Amino acid sequence: MDAERWWPPFVEVVAIVWIALFVVDVAVTFEVLVVSETVASTVRTVLQWLLVVFLLDVALLYRWSEKGPRAFVRANWFLILTVVPWFRPFRLLRIGRSIRALRLLTGSRRVGSFLNKVRGKCHSLWCRLRD
């Protein structure tokens, strides 16, 4: 499905916009940034509407997953938690977990050897492209 391909990057862009607007809203609240009441109200309204996008994100992921509700929640509890944009930075923890898993795999001789070969090929390709 075409939407399954463009939806995740769209949600990530919306998350960046949400974070930027949230920073603006906090700055306005603590009077670090002075804007008109209309602008402040518009920022708050956009923040609320962007939350709808995050809820729709989880609904679409559930629909595309072909799992039952319990299995989906069990498998994606972390994703569901990060629907609330305040928790979105916690998605970075997934990257850390992936790096740890990769480090464990490189300890294995076969996988480590394979990854070293891939790294060597990438390096030689990079050198050829640079010249």
Side-chain angles (χ1 to χ4, degrees):
M1 187 179 266
D2 198 34
E4 289 181 53
R5 197 182 57 203
W6 64 262
W7 180 256
F10 169 74
V11 173
E12 294 305 321
V13 170
V14 169
I16 291 168
V17 170
W18 189 93
I19 290 169
L21 290 175
F22 180 72
V23 168
V24 169
D25 186 43
V26 169
V28 168
T29 301
F30 289 105
E31 298 177 358
V32 174
L33 182 66
V34 179
V35 296
S36 68
E37 186 56 39
T38 307
V39 171
S41 176
T42 303
V43 167
R44 286 186 205 104
T45 302
V46 171
L47 284 171
Q48 290 172 351
W49 279 105
L50 291 179
L51 284 175
V52 173
V53 173
F54 298 125
L55 292 173
L56 183 62
D57 180 41
V58 169
L60 286 173
L61 291 175
Y62 169 68
R63 176 126 169 101
W64 294 332
S65 75
E66 300 174 358
K67 292 181 182 178
R70 281 185 180 214
F72 179 78
V73 170
R74 260 190 230 126
N76 297 296
W77 66 269
F78 191 71
L79 174 76
I80 294 167
L81 177 68
T82 60
V83 166
V84 180
W86 295 286
F87 296 122
R88 272 216 183 268
F90 289 129
R91 283 194 178 181
L92 294 176
L93 294 176
R94 280 186 173 175
I95 295 169
R97 190 170 43 190
S98 300
I99 290 171
R100 267 191 309 236
L102 189 60
R103 283 185 187 157
L104 286 174
L105 285 175
T106 56
S108 161
R109 282 189 179 172
R110 279 190 179 158
V111 176
S113 174
F114 172 73
L115 290 175
N116 281 332
K117 287 178 184 175
V118 169
R119 188 178 65 204
K121 290 287 183 188
C122 289
H123 179 70
S124 66
L125 210 136
W126 174 253
C127 288
R128 276 191 249 154
L129 289 173
R130 220 176 25 178
D131 292 337

PDB file of all heavy atoms in Angstrom, residues 109-124:
ATOM      1  N   ARG A 109      31.679 -14.987  15.704  1.00  0.00           N
ATOM      2  CA  ARG A 109      32.690 -15.019  14.638  1.00  0.00           C
ATOM      3  C   ARG A 109      32.086 -14.854  13.258  1.00  0.00           C
ATOM      4  O   ARG A 109      32.568 -14.072  12.455  1.00  0.00           O
ATOM      5  CB  ARG A 109      33.469 -16.320  14.699  1.00  0.00           C
ATOM      6  CG  ARG A 109      34.483 -16.307  15.776  1.00  0.00           C
ATOM      7  CD  ARG A 109      35.363 -17.501  15.649  1.00  0.00           C
ATOM      8  NE  ARG A 109      36.359 -17.445  16.699  1.00  0.00           N
ATOM      9  CZ  ARG A 109      37.187 -18.401  16.963  1.00  0.00           C
ATOM     10  NH1 ARG A 109      37.143 -19.505  16.252  1.00  0.00           N
ATOM     11  NH2 ARG A 109      38.058 -18.279  17.917  1.00  0.00           N
ATOM     12  N   ARG A 110      31.018 -15.592  12.977  1.00  0.00           N
ATOM     13  CA  ARG A 110      30.424 -15.524  11.642  1.00  0.00           C
ATOM     14  C   ARG A 110      29.876 -14.134  11.348  1.00  0.00           C
ATOM     15  O   ARG A 110      30.152 -13.562  10.304  1.00  0.00           O
ATOM     16  CB  ARG A 110      29.294 -16.529  11.502  1.00  0.00           C
ATOM     17  CG  ARG A 110      29.759 -17.897  11.207  1.00  0.00           C
ATOM     18  CD  ARG A 110      28.591 -18.754  10.847  1.00  0.00           C
ATOM     19  NE  ARG A 110      29.077 -20.090  10.543  1.00  0.00           N
ATOM     20  CZ  ARG A 110      28.343 -21.155  10.596  1.00  0.00           C
ATOM     21  NH1 ARG A 110      27.081 -21.058  10.950  1.00  0.00           N
ATOM     22  NH2 ARG A 110      28.840 -22.321  10.298  1.00  0.00           N
ATOM     23  N   VAL A 111      29.069 -13.633  12.262  1.00  0.00           N
ATOM     24  CA  VAL A 111      28.455 -12.327  12.038  1.00  0.00           C
ATOM     25  C   VAL A 111      29.512 -11.243  12.042  1.00  0.00           C
ATOM     26  O   VAL A 111      29.496 -10.337  11.204  1.00  0.00           O
ATOM     27  CB  VAL A 111      27.355 -12.045  13.089  1.00  0.00           C
ATOM     28  CG1 VAL A 111      26.786 -10.656  12.918  1.00  0.00           C
ATOM     29  CG2 VAL A 111      26.254 -13.082  12.989  1.00  0.00           C
ATOM     30  N   GLY A 112      30.455 -11.322  12.966  1.00  0.00           N
ATOM     31  CA  GLY A 112      31.524 -10.330  13.022  1.00  0.00           C
ATOM     32  C   GLY A 112      32.342 -10.323  11.743  1.00  0.00           C
ATOM     33  O   GLY A 112      32.674  -9.270  11.206  1.00  0.00           O
ATOM     34  N   SER A 113      32.640 -11.514  11.234  1.00  0.00           N
ATOM     35  CA  SER A 113      33.392 -11.620   9.985  1.00  0.00           C
ATOM     36  C   SER A 113      32.592 -11.027   8.826  1.00  0.00           C
ATOM     37  O   SER A 113      33.138 -10.296   7.994  1.00  0.00           O
ATOM     38  CB  SER A 113      33.706 -13.089   9.711  1.00  0.00           C
ATOM     39  OG  SER A 113      34.299 -13.240   8.448  1.00  0.00           O
ATOM     40  N   PHE A 114      31.311 -11.341   8.780  1.00  0.00           N
ATOM     41  CA  PHE A 114      30.456 -10.807   7.725  1.00  0.00           C
ATOM     42  C   PHE A 114      30.392  -9.284   7.790  1.00  0.00           C
ATOM     43  O   PHE A 114      30.535  -8.600   6.773  1.00  0.00           O
ATOM     44  CB  PHE A 114      29.046 -11.408   7.846  1.00  0.00           C
ATOM     45  CG  PHE A 114      28.050 -10.769   6.928  1.00  0.00           C
ATOM     46  CD1 PHE A 114      28.085 -11.013   5.563  1.00  0.00           C
ATOM     47  CD2 PHE A 114      27.077  -9.921   7.429  1.00  0.00           C
ATOM     48  CE1 PHE A 114      27.165 -10.419   4.711  1.00  0.00           C
ATOM     49  CE2 PHE A 114      26.164  -9.319   6.586  1.00  0.00           C
ATOM     50  CZ  PHE A 114      26.202  -9.578   5.230  1.00  0.00           C
ATOM     51  N   LEU A 115      30.195  -8.758   8.999  1.00  0.00           N
ATOM     52  CA  LEU A 115      30.107  -7.298   9.144  1.00  0.00           C
ATOM     53  C   LEU A 115      31.427  -6.624   8.787  1.00  0.00           C
ATOM     54  O   LEU A 115      31.440  -5.532   8.212  1.00  0.00           O
ATOM     55  CB  LEU A 115      29.668  -6.929  10.558  1.00  0.00           C
ATOM     56  CG  LEU A 115      28.217  -7.267  10.896  1.00  0.00           C
ATOM     57  CD1 LEU A 115      27.936  -6.956  12.359  1.00  0.00           C
ATOM     58  CD2 LEU A 115      27.253  -6.516  10.006  1.00  0.00           C
ATOM     59  N   ASN A 116      32.544  -7.260   9.119  1.00  0.00           N
ATOM     60  CA  ASN A 116      33.847  -6.708   8.731  1.00  0.00           C
ATOM     61  C   ASN A 116      34.003  -6.691   7.219  1.00  0.00           C
ATOM     62  O   ASN A 116      34.547  -5.750   6.647  1.00  0.00           O
ATOM     63  CB  ASN A 116      34.982  -7.484   9.382  1.00  0.00           C
ATOM     64  CG  ASN A 116      35.178  -7.076  10.823  1.00  0.00           C
ATOM     65  OD1 ASN A 116      34.872  -5.947  11.203  1.00  0.00           O
ATOM     66  ND2 ASN A 116      35.673  -8.000  11.624  1.00  0.00           N
ATOM     67  N   LYS A 117      33.534  -7.744   6.545  1.00  0.00           N
ATOM     68  CA  LYS A 117      33.583  -7.768   5.079  1.00  0.00           C
ATOM     69  C   LYS A 117      32.717  -6.668   4.486  1.00  0.00           C
ATOM     70  O   LYS A 117      33.122  -5.983   3.545  1.00  0.00           O
ATOM     71  CB  LYS A 117      33.129  -9.126   4.556  1.00  0.00           C
ATOM     72  CG  LYS A 117      34.131 -10.220   4.774  1.00  0.00           C
ATOM     73  CD  LYS A 117      33.605 -11.543   4.275  1.00  0.00           C
ATOM     74  CE  LYS A 117      34.587 -12.660   4.597  1.00  0.00           C
ATOM     75  NZ  LYS A 117      34.063 -13.972   4.231  1.00  0.00           N
ATOM     76  N   VAL A 118      31.529  -6.506   5.028  1.00  0.00           N
ATOM     77  CA  VAL A 118      30.628  -5.448   4.541  1.00  0.00           C
ATOM     78  C   VAL A 118      31.272  -4.081   4.765  1.00  0.00           C
ATOM     79  O   VAL A 118      31.256  -3.219   3.881  1.00  0.00           O
ATOM     80  CB  VAL A 118      29.247  -5.531   5.233  1.00  0.00           C
ATOM     81  CG1 VAL A 118      28.414  -4.298   4.954  1.00  0.00           C
ATOM     82  CG2 VAL A 118      28.517  -6.789   4.796  1.00  0.00           C
ATOM     83  N   ARG A 119      31.840  -3.880   5.945  1.00  0.00           N
ATOM     84  CA  ARG A 119      32.499  -2.606   6.241  1.00  0.00           C
ATOM     85  C   ARG A 119      33.659  -2.354   5.283  1.00  0.00           C
ATOM     86  O   ARG A 119      33.843  -1.250   4.769  1.00  0.00           O
ATOM     87  CB  ARG A 119      32.983  -2.581   7.686  1.00  0.00           C
ATOM     88  CG  ARG A 119      33.510  -1.208   8.093  1.00  0.00           C
ATOM     89  CD  ARG A 119      33.928  -1.172   9.522  1.00  0.00           C
ATOM     90  NE  ARG A 119      35.071  -2.084   9.685  1.00  0.00           N
ATOM     91  CZ  ARG A 119      35.404  -2.648  10.819  1.00  0.00           C
ATOM     92  NH1 ARG A 119      34.688  -2.446  11.885  1.00  0.00           N
ATOM     93  NH2 ARG A 119      36.456  -3.437  10.895  1.00  0.00           N
ATOM     94  N   GLY A 120      34.453  -3.399   4.994  1.00  0.00           N
ATOM     95  CA  GLY A 120      35.567  -3.269   4.062  1.00  0.00           C
ATOM     96  C   GLY A 120      35.095  -2.924   2.660  1.00  0.00           C
ATOM     97  O   GLY A 120      35.677  -2.061   1.983  1.00  0.00           O
ATOM     98  N   LYS A 121      34.027  -3.589   2.205  1.00  0.00           N
ATOM     99  CA  LYS A 121      33.480  -3.298   0.871  1.00  0.00           C
ATOM    100  C   LYS A 121      32.964  -1.863   0.804  1.00  0.00           C
ATOM    101  O   LYS A 121      33.186  -1.161  -0.186  1.00  0.00           O
ATOM    102  CB  LYS A 121      32.347  -4.267   0.531  1.00  0.00           C
ATOM    103  CG  LYS A 121      32.788  -5.659   0.276  1.00  0.00           C
ATOM    104  CD  LYS A 121      33.492  -5.762  -1.055  1.00  0.00           C
ATOM    105  CE  LYS A 121      33.863  -7.203  -1.319  1.00  0.00           C
ATOM    106  NZ  LYS A 121      34.687  -7.357  -2.477  1.00  0.00           N
ATOM    107  N   CYS A 122      32.256  -1.445   1.852  1.00  0.00           N
ATOM    108  CA  CYS A 122      31.725  -0.065   1.878  1.00  0.00           C
ATOM    109  C   CYS A 122      32.877   0.938   1.855  1.00  0.00           C
ATOM    110  O   CYS A 122      32.808   1.954   1.162  1.00  0.00           O
ATOM    111  CB  CYS A 122      30.848   0.151   3.101  1.00  0.00           C
ATOM    112  SG  CYS A 122      29.284  -0.727   3.019  1.00  0.00           S
ATOM    113  N   HIS A 123      33.928   0.641   2.608  1.00  0.00           N
ATOM    114  CA  HIS A 123      35.075   1.543   2.647  1.00  0.00           C
ATOM    115  C   HIS A 123      35.753   1.636   1.279  1.00  0.00           C
ATOM    116  O   HIS A 123      36.069   2.730   0.808  1.00  0.00           O
ATOM    117  CB  HIS A 123      36.075   1.082   3.704  1.00  0.00           C
ATOM    118  CG  HIS A 123      37.290   1.953   3.797  1.00  0.00           C
ATOM    119  ND1 HIS A 123      37.223   3.230   4.311  1.00  0.00           N
ATOM    120  CD2 HIS A 123      38.576   1.741   3.429  1.00  0.00           C
ATOM    121  CE1 HIS A 123      38.429   3.768   4.246  1.00  0.00           C
ATOM    122  NE2 HIS A 123      39.274   2.886   3.710  1.00  0.00           N
ATOM    123  N   SER A 124      35.953   0.482   0.617  1.00  0.00           N
ATOM    124  CA  SER A 124      36.600   0.508  -0.698  1.00  0.00           C
ATOM    125  C   SER A 124      35.711   1.209  -1.726  1.00  0.00           C
ATOM    126  O   SER A 124      36.201   1.955  -2.575  1.00  0.00           O
ATOM    127  CB  SER A 124      36.957  -0.902  -1.162  1.00  0.00           C
ATOM    128  OG  SER A 124      35.796  -1.663  -1.385  1.00  0.00           O
TER     129      SER A 124
END
